[in-house]
């Protein structure tokens, strides 16, 4: 009887899930279809293109400024992902495993930084970067993106490390391993899905970030993909198809990373909620 009573609720939840999924996927599908449509056919009411063309993608990859921006985004995103992992893992391990004065306050500060929107720290960041002489450089963009995503990465990894039993590390220490060795040989392999999830999160966050890049970057040689996409809105030679193709190129790495590491991402994002 209880199972019969739950069936209408389950059906309603399934319908709601499908509707929400449709709302999320519909704009993405429309962007992709628009990118392979001729410009004259983009505003057509038909959901199917009358003709499939890849001229928009050829035009995108033929633009030198777009390819430079692609290279810059790969450099910054890769550096942010690697630096996030290198810094966040030992920082999270310290907060999870060691007891020292100020530990709780540091944890509070990490959480407090997530309560501030990026626009609230935009002006101080720009002032600091310019005072250091790093304005209009990829180094400045890497540091700001790292500062933006590192606190949440540390807090996420702390939850994952908390879920690893301390007894495993204590047994390794008894067998003669150092604390650092126990972390590398025992804890790090166990939280590998979480590390991959955090690294992917850091890369995607940097890859699509626009506001800080807009404030810090003005030179075409150091622009990233979101800024390059903005330059496609040329009032004298505007093409919706080229803009949509640029959007697909920007979205593709995030989708590809999810497909490659979907098991690790799902495992990493759920393992932190399990204790013991």
């Amino acid at each position: 009887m209880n199972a019969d009573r739950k069936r209408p609720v389950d059906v309603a939840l399934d319908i709601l899930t499908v509707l929400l999924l449709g709302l999320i996927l519909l704009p993405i599908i429309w962007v992709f279809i628009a990118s392979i449509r001729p410009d004259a056919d983009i505003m057509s009411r038909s959901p199917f293109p009358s003709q499939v063309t890849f001229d928009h993608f050829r035009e995108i990859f033929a633009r030198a400024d777009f390819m430079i921006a692609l290279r810059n985004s790969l450099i910054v995103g890769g550096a942010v992902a690697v630096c996030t992992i290198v810094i966040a893992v030992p920082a999270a391990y310290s907060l999870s495993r060691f007891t020292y004065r100020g530990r709780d306050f540091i944890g509070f500060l990490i959480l407090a930084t997530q309560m501030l929107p990026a626009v609230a720290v935009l002006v101080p960041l720009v002032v600091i970067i310019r005072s250091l002489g790093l304005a209009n450089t990829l180094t400045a963009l890497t540091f700001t993106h790292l500062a933006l995503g590192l606190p949440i990465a540390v807090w996420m990894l702390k939850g994952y490390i908390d879920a690893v039993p301390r007894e495993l590390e204590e047994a390794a220490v008894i067998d003669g391993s150092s604390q650092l060795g126990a972390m590398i040989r025992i804890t790090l392999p166990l939280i590998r899905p979480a590390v991959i999830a955090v690294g992917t999160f850091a890369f995607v966050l940097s890859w699509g970030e626009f506001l800080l890049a807009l404030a810090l970057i003005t030179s075409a040689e150091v622009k990233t993909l979101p800024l390059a996409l903005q330059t496609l809105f040329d009032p004298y030679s505007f093409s919706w198809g080229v803009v949509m193709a640029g959007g697909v190129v920007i979205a593709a790495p995030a989708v590809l990373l999810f497909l490659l590491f979907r098991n690790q991402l799902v495992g990493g994002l759920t393992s932190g909620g399990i204790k013991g």
Side-chain angles (χ1 to χ4, degrees):
M1 181 176 294
N2 292 335
D4 293 338
R5 290 180 180 178
K6 290 182 180 180
R7 285 177 183 173
V9 176
D10 293 339
V11 171
L13 290 175
D14 290 341
I15 294 174
L16 180 61
T17 301
V18 171
L19 291 176
L20 291 175
L21 187 62
L23 289 174
I24 295 172
L25 293 180
L26 186 60
I28 301 174
I29 295 173
W30 186 89
V31 168
F32 175 74
I33 293 177
S35 69
I36 59 175
R37 269 180 155 164
D39 282 333
D41 189 37
I42 285 181
M43 297 304 173
S44 173
R45 294 184 178 181
S46 173
F48 304 103
S50 59
Q51 179 184 353
V52 175
T53 177
F54 294 97
D55 291 341
H56 303 312
F57 289 95
R58 295 189 187 98
E59 184 174 346
I60 278 289
F61 289 113
R63 295 175 62 107
D65 58 340
F66 197 85
M67 297 307 295
I68 291 174
L70 177 61
R71 180 201 64 190
N72 293 337
S73 289
L74 287 172
I75 292 173
V76 174
V80 169
V82 172
C83 291
T84 296
I85 292 174
V86 170
I87 298 174
V89 169
Y93 187 84
S94 172
L95 291 174
S96 175
R97 290 295 191 252
F98 300 132
T99 301
Y100 48 87
R101 183 178 299 177
R103 186 190 68 171
D104 294 338
F105 181 69
I106 293 174
F108 169 77
L109 287 180
I110 292 174
L111 284 178
T113 58
Q114 301 308 302
M115 300 178 186
L116 295 174
V119 68
V121 298
L122 178 62
V123 174
L125 274 176
V126 172
V127 171
I128 293 173
I129 291 297
R130 289 183 177 176
S131 65
L132 294 174
L134 296 176
N136 209 34
T137 64
L138 294 181
T139 302
L141 209 53
T142 301
F143 283 155
T144 53
H145 288 177
L146 185 62
L148 189 66
L150 190 58
I152 186 63
V154 172
W155 198 254
M156 289 170 62
L157 282 175
K158 178 185 179 301
Y160 305 141
I161 296 174
D162 287 342
V164 177
R166 292 174 179 264
E167 291 78 7
L168 297 177
E169 296 175 7
E170 293 173 354
V173 171
I174 292 174
D175 289 340
S177 176
S178 63
Q179 189 73 37
L180 178 62
M183 182 193 77
I184 295 175
R185 296 186 182 91
I186 304 298
T187 306
L188 200 55
L190 292 175
I191 64 169
R192 183 176 60 181
V195 173
I196 294 175
V198 166
T200 304
F201 166 79
F203 179 85
V204 172
L205 179 67
S206 173
W207 183 265
E209 199 282 321
F210 175 75
L211 184 60
L212 291 174
L214 181 64
L216 294 172
I217 301 299
T218 57
S219 174
E221 288 75 17
V222 289
K223 282 187 176 181
T224 54
L225 279 178
L227 296 181
L229 184 63
Q230 182 196 27
T231 62
L232 297 178
F233 289 91
D234 187 347
Y236 302 103
S237 59
F238 180 73
S239 169
W240 272 115
V242 173
V243 173
M244 295 300 106
V248 171
V249 172
I250 293 177
V255 176
L256 181 61
L257 285 174
F258 175 79
L259 293 177
L260 289 175
F261 301 119
R262 59 186 182 276
N263 294 332
Q264 290 86 347
L265 287 173
V266 173
L269 292 174
T270 58
S271 63
I274 303 175
K275 298 285 291 183

